[in-house]
């Protein structure tokens, strides 16, 4: 092979790799998770002061644009549906590859789930790995999430071929019909600003009745695998000298769940980190189970999110002294998002009010967390 032929081969391979990567990003399933994660990658480097990592008790609860409008807090959710606890350590590394947040916030509701059950549907794994940019850390994340050692039984799901995770074009090549959407072509770098900074509000209403579990003080161990993941994450944060807060977003929790949250709290505080279980703060937050939840107690709607965010942003400002970025031109996109959210929020509140007046409530088969 001549030098000219070698150069042509190199150029071809580079071009082929670039086009394959871009096509993969475009073909990944569109939706709110893709928008949120691509939005994270679009944020200017080293501008996020706080990041919330967790499952679906994150993106409908904590309104980043409102936090900015009220307190100047710049906080972005790195959140996917049914996010397995094993992913939190690696998503932390992913954030640190681009940002230097003063505070990491972890939603821990999923730590009460058995890992074997979470592996029965590999969408819970792909929700993370197929919404990351290609990198060495992504390969590490795939390896960690596909590792089933130490579990009581191994998933029988056929979708465990590693190469389909490493190169998810194998999984999504049949999505070619989605390319008629301009929004899909925009994701060729998997970096597209999210106008609501990762927030996804709900306008449904689903009245429910909560049992008073605020007085539950006993503890109950969480699954051993999840405890191991939690301790590993805490040790990782401590070794880096990284400040962190662990939270439980308010929902219709049972007494047994509260006991497990108490157990998590003991582990977290024992490692020197803050823990906030907002199920004990329902009165302070002002949540109304008759109007503020969108799916019968599992997730808040936009009305409830406004209350949760108001409580949470005050807690962050008081306990973690996050900077006020309002007026800083670097954060102009956050000011724009705050204005956009106010308009969209008004629409959602009007829809919620109409549902309440008409008694038109959500279906009871809404997706769980």
């Amino acid at each position: 092979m001549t030098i000219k032929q070698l150069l042509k081969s190199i150029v071809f391979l580079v071009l082929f790799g670039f086009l394959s990567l871009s096509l993969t990003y475009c073909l990944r399933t569109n939706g709110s998770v893709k928008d949120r994660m691509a939005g994270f990658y679009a944020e200017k480097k080293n501008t996020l002061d706080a990041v919330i990592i967790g499952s679906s008790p994150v993106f409908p609860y904590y309104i980043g644009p409102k936090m900015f409008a009220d307190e100047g807090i710049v906080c972005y959710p790195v959140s996917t549906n049914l996010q397995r606890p094993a992913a939190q350590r690696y998503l932390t590394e992913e954030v640190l590859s681009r940002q230097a947040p003063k505070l990491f916030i972890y939603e821990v509701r999923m730590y009460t789930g058995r890992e074997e059950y979470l592996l029965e549907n590999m969408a819970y794994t792909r929700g993370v790995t197929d919404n990351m940019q290609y990198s060495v850390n992504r390969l590490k994340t795939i390896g960690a999430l596909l590792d089933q050692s130490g579990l009581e039984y191994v998933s029988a799901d056929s979708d465990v071929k590693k190469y389909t995770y490493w190169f998810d074009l194998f999984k999504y090549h049949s999505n070619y019909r989605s390319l008629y959407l301009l929004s899909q072509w925009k994701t060729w770098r998997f970096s597209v600003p999210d106008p609501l900074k990762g927030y996804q509000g709900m306008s449904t209403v689903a009245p429910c009745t909560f049992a008073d579990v605020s007085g539950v003080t006993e503890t109950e161990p969480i699954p051993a695998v999840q405890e191991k993941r939690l301790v590993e994450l805490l040790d990782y944060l401590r070794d880096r000298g990284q400040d962190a807060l662990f939270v439980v977003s308010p929902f219709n929790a049972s007494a047994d769940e509260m006991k497990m949250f108490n157990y998590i709290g003991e582990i977290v505080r024992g490692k020197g980190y803050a823990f906030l279980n907002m199920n004990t703060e329902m009165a302070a937050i002002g949540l109304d189970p008759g109007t503020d939840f969108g799916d019968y107690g599992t997730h808040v709607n936009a009305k409830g999110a406004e209350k949760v965010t108001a409580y949470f942003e005050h807690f962050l400002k008081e306990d973690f002294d996050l900077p006020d970025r309002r007026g800083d031109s670097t954060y102009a996109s956050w000011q724009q998002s705050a204005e956009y959210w106010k308009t969209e929020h008004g629409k959602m509140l009007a829809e919620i009010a109409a549902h309440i007046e008409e008694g038109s409530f959500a279906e009871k088969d809404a997706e769980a967390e």
Side-chain angles (χ1 to χ4, degrees), residues 169-329:
L169 185 59
F170 285 102
K171 176 71 174 178
Y172 298 114
H173 66 276
S174 60
N175 281 359
Y176 66 90
R177 292 182 183 86
S178 71
L179 293 179
Y180 80 90
L181 297 170
L182 177 61
S183 59
Q184 287 289 75
W185 287 103
K186 288 181 178 179
T187 62
W188 67 275
R189 293 190 305 132
F190 210 73
S191 175
V192 183
D194 187 330
L196 286 175
K197 302 297 186 182
Y199 170 65
Q200 183 187 352
M202 299 173 61
S203 59
T204 54
V205 179
C208 51
T209 302
F210 283 5
D212 182 8
V213 293
S214 60
V216 176
T217 58
E218 300 93 336
T219 62
E220 181 176 321
I222 59 177
V225 171
Q226 310 301 18
E227 181 172 346
K228 179 183 177 182
R229 302 301 186 205
L230 177 61
V231 171
E232 287 174 347
L233 175 60
L234 288 161
D235 288 343
Y236 171 79
L237 294 168
R238 182 190 58 196
D239 291 343
R240 290 189 58 87
Q242 176 69 55
D243 203 2
L245 165 67
F246 292 75
V247 303
V248 181
S249 305
F251 73 112
N252 190 12
S254 67
D256 287 341
E257 287 172 318
M258 286 294 288
K259 291 175 184 178
M260 286 190 278
F261 296 144
N262 291 340
Y263 186 83
I264 292 172
E266 287 187 351
I267 295 173
V268 169
R269 295 188 183 102
K271 293 285 187 177
Y273 287 97
F275 179 77
L276 173 65
N277 183 352
M278 280 185 269
N279 288 297
T280 65
E281 305 296 325
M282 289 287 196
I285 296 171
L287 281 175
D288 182 346
T291 63
D292 296 348
F293 286 80
D295 52 5
Y296 296 93
T298 305
H299 304 93
V300 292
N301 58 25
K303 189 170 182 285
E306 185 176 17
K307 296 177 181 179
V308 172
T309 301
Y311 176 87
F312 192 60
E313 67 190 14
H314 179 73
F315 178 86
L316 292 180
K317 202 69 176 181
E318 290 295 313
D319 284 44
F320 293 96
D321 192 29
L322 296 173
D324 185 342
R325 302 296 190 180
R326 289 172 294 185
D328 187 332
S329 60

Side-chain angles (χ1 to χ4, degrees), residues 106-125:
Y106 299 94
E107 217 291 337
V108 300
R109 198 189 295 186
M110 292 294 290
Y111 278 89
T112 63
R114 292 186 62 85
E115 190 75 346
E116 292 86 349
Y117 301 155
L118 298 178
L119 282 166
E120 289 179 348
N121 187 336
M122 297 309 289
Y124 307 157
T125 298

